[in-house]
Amino acid sequence: DLDRFKSINDSLGHMFGDRVLVEIAARLQRCLRQPDTLARLGGDEFVVHLHGADRQAAARAAQRLIDAVARPVTIDQMQFTLSASIGIAIYPDDGTSLDELIQSADTAMYQVKERGKGHFRFYQPQMNADLLQRVQMDHAMREGLQRDEFVLYFQPRIDLRQRAVPACEALLRWQRPGHGLVMPGAFIGVAEETGLIADLGHWVLRRAVAQAAQWRSSGRPLQVAVNVSALQFARPQFVQNVAEALRDFGLPAHLLELELTESILIRDAEEALAKLQALAQLGVELSLDDFGTGYSSLTYLKRFPLHRLKIDRSFIAVMPEDEVDAAIVAAIVQMGHALRMEVVAEGVERAEQLQRLQALGCDHCQGFLFERALPPQALADWLDQRAAELVARCVADHP
Ligand code: C2E
Ligand code: MG
Ligand code: MG
C-alpha cells in the first residue's frame, strides 16, 4: 500500500494520480523475477506473489520494492517522493487460500501503517488476536464509562521546602468486572488509539474537580492535578470544558492543575499557546509531565505559561547510582528554576533519592516513599493521620 497517496490524488487530480500509479507499477515489476506475479488490488494497493521464496527472500524482495517506491518521482516537472508499507504472509503458515493469505498480509501491512509507515512486516498470528482484543477492550471501556466502572485514585505531592502536602495527582483506575482493578497502562493506549481518551479524560476532569471541591468544603483545600491527553486538549471546546467544570462545582481555579505532555505542545504550537494562555488566564496551573522523555525543547519551555516541570520517573529510578542521569536531573532543576518554574520529581521510592533531590534544590516530589495513589477517603485519612509525621521524618530540615 502506498503511503499518503490520497494527498497526491487530492492535490493534483486523479489523472495525475493514475500516471503515478503506472510509474510505480513499472518500478515494482522491475524488482521481480520472471515467475513472480504483480497485481493491482485496487486504489493504491498492490499484491505480489513471490514464487518459491522463503522468509529471507521475501524480506529482501520487500526491501527492494520499498526502495524502488522511495526513489523520487518526476512527472510534468513535478518532483515528489512516495513511500510504501508492506505486509508479508507466507504459505501455508499464514493461510492456505489466496483470500486468507491476502487478509494476513493486510493485517501485517496495517501494523506497519500504524507504526510509522515505509517498512515491511511479517504476519504473526498474534496480530489478529491483538486487533480483536483492542476492539473488545474499546467496547468494554465505552460500556464501563456508561456503567460508572472508572474511579480516580489520588497520589499526594509533597512540597519539600514547606514540608507540606499541597496537592495530589488524579490517576485513573478501571474496576472492570471479572478483571479486578485495572491500571491505566493496560487501557490508556487503546483509548488513545480509538479516540475514547477524549471522553474518558472529560470524565476524569469533572470527577477530579468535583473531588477537589468536596475536599475544599470539608476544610482541606488540596490542589488536584489532572492528566490531559493530546486528543482531549485538541478539542475546540477544551478550555470551555475546564471553565465549566470549575464553575459547576464551584472550585477556585488555582486548586486545579493540568498535566500536559510535550506532544501537546509540539502539535500545532500556535493553537496550543493560545489555549494555554486562556487556561492560565482562568487561573488554572499548568505542568509539563514526563519531562525529559520527549523533545525537551527549550523553545517552548520559554514560550508557554507553565508553572511546573515534572521530571520523568525513569531518571529518578536510577538515582543516585547513575551519575549521568543524576546530572540530567540537576540540569533540569536548574533550567526549571531559571525559567521560574517549580520542579517536581516523580517516582521517588528511596530515602537516598529524596536526599539527593533536596540537595539539588528540587521543589516537590511524589512517589511510593511517601504514598501510592489512594481512593479519596483513604487519602483524606492519610493526610489526617500519617502525612505530618512521615513528611517530618523523611524530609530533611536543612538540605
Ligand atoms: P503519570 O502521569 O506519569 O503518573 C505517574 C505514574 O507513576 C502513576 O502510575 C503512579 O502510580 C506511578 N508512580 C508514582 N509514584 C511511583 C513510584 O514511587 N514508583 C513507581 N514505580 N511508580 C510510581 P499509574 O497510575 O499506573 O499511571 C500511569 C500513567 O497513565 C500516568 O503516568 C498517565 O500518563 C496515565 N494516566 C493515568 N490517569 C490518567 C488520566 O486520567 N488521563 C490520562 N490522559 N492519562 C492518565
Ligand atoms: Mg501525570
Ligand atoms: Mg509523569
Side-chain angles (χ1 to χ4, degrees):
D1 194 286
L2 300 181
D3 302 323
R4 288 174 287 265
F5 181 70
K6 191 176 174 308
S7 61
I8 298 226
N9 258 343
D10 290 352
S11 57
L12 300 166
H14 284 256
M15 297 284 275
F16 194 90
D18 285 351
R19 290 168 67 194
V20 175
L21 287 174
V22 170
E23 163 69 18
I24 295 297
R27 289 185 187 186
L28 298 178
Q29 188 73 68
R30 285 197 291 272
C31 296
L32 304 174
R33 302 160 306 162
Q34 214 272 322
D36 302 334
T37 306
L38 173 70
R40 177 172 168 230
L41 258 199
D44 56 355
E45 283 198 327
F46 294 88
V47 173
V48 173
H49 170 241
L50 296 177
H51 185 78
D54 59 7
R55 288 175 77 88
Q56 256 191 356
R60 274 201 307 273
Q63 194 57 55
R64 273 204 308 277
L65 294 166
I66 285 170
D67 294 342
V69 172
R71 286 203 315 274
V73 180
T74 312
I75 296 179
D76 291 351
Q77 279 114 46
M78 281 282 304
Q79 231 202 11
F80 49 87
T81 312
L82 287 168
S83 67
S85 297
I86 299 182
I88 305 174
I90 296 190
Y91 174 89
D93 295 353
D94 305 333
T96 49
S97 68
L98 184 62
D99 279 347
E100 277 173 17
L101 283 167
I102 288 182
Q103 204 198 331
S104 296
D106 215 36
T107 303
M109 188 269 289
Y110 270 104
Q111 299 249 333
V112 177
K113 291 262 186 199
E114 272 180 12
R115 290 174 171 75
K117 309 186 168 75
H119 296 280
F120 68 84
R121 258 180 106 109
F122 286 95
Y123 173 76
Q124 290 158 349
Q126 184 55 33
M127 289 176 174
N128 267 330
D130 285 353
L131 204 66
L132 186 64
Q133 225 176 24
R134 288 212 300 271
V135 170
Q136 284 170 340
M137 166 101 58
D138 176 68
H139 179 68
M141 277 191 287
R142 284 172 201 274
E143 282 195 337
L145 201 51
Q146 300 287 317
R147 295 182 188 154
D148 234 11
E149 291 169 9
F150 288 93
V151 289
L152 289 184
Y153 276 39
F154 298 86
Q155 184 179 39
R157 191 176 80 216
I158 286 78
D159 182 329
L160 298 174
R161 294 176 200 284
Q162 305 292 326
R163 303 169 98 202
V165 185
C168 61
E169 176 175 4
L171 292 161
L172 190 57
R173 306 285 182 261
W174 180 15
Q175 287 173 322
R176 187 179 180 189
H179 291 77
L181 192 68
V182 187
M183 302 299 275
F187 61 85
I188 292 276
V190 176
E192 302 250 6
E193 261 175 41
T194 64
L196 184 62
I197 190 69
D199 287 337
L200 209 50
H202 183 67
W203 179 87
V204 171
L205 173 71
R206 293 190 64 87
R207 190 75 218 89
V209 168
Q211 185 59 58
Q214 194 190 318
W215 277 326
R216 175 173 177 261
S217 61
S218 61
R220 192 185 281 109
L222 196 61
Q223 185 188 56
V224 175
V226 172
N227 292 286
V228 177
S229 84
L231 259 168
Q232 185 186 1
F233 186 84
R235 282 186 167 180
Q237 69 272 32
F238 179 69
V239 177
Q240 197 191 329
N241 288 160
V242 173
E244 276 169 9
L246 293 171
R247 197 192 54 216
D248 291 351
F249 298 101
L251 186 75
H254 73 274
L255 289 178
L256 175 66
E257 176 179 75
L258 299 177
E259 294 194 2
L260 314 165
T261 56
E262 296 177 78
S263 58
I264 290 182
L265 308 184
I266 293 289
R267 210 187 274 181
D268 208 344
E270 289 313 313
E271 205 185 311
L273 180 61
K275 280 187 177 174
L276 292 182
Q277 280 167 343
L279 290 164
Q281 202 74 49
L282 281 178
V284 171
E285 302 204 331
L286 303 168
S287 69
L288 193 54
D289 205 356
D290 305 333
F291 188 72
T293 57
Y295 304 89
S296 309
S297 153
L298 296 178
T299 316
Y300 63 63
L301 282 185
K302 205 177 68 180
R303 286 178 68 204
F304 294 133
L306 300 165
H307 298 78
R308 273 176 212 103
L309 277 185
K310 297 190 81 173
I311 309 175
D312 190 70
R313 63 178 181 279
S314 58
F315 295 100
I316 311 299
V318 292
M319 272 180 73
E321 294 82 16
D322 188 312
E323 279 306 317
V324 173
D325 278 2
I328 291 175
V329 171
I332 295 177
V333 172
Q334 288 194 6
M335 187 185 65
H337 287 169
L339 293 165
R340 301 207 161 62
M341 286 186 265
E342 287 184 326
V343 180
V344 184
E346 290 191 294
V348 180
E349 295 181 351
R350 291 177 286 139
E352 309 91 80
Q353 293 170 338
L354 178 61
Q355 277 159 16
R356 187 70 183 267
L357 286 163
Q358 269 199 287
L360 292 175
C362 189
D363 304 281
H364 290 204
C365 89
Q366 211 178 307
F368 297 167
L369 176 65
F370 292 98
E371 195 47 274
R372 291 169 188 259
L374 300 170
Q377 187 54 49
L379 180 70
D381 294 343
W382 180 84
L383 285 168
D384 290 344
Q385 293 155 22
R386 306 213 34 231
E389 182 269 330
L390 190 63
V391 171
R393 177 156 47 82
C394 293
V395 184
D397 235 343
H398 301 289

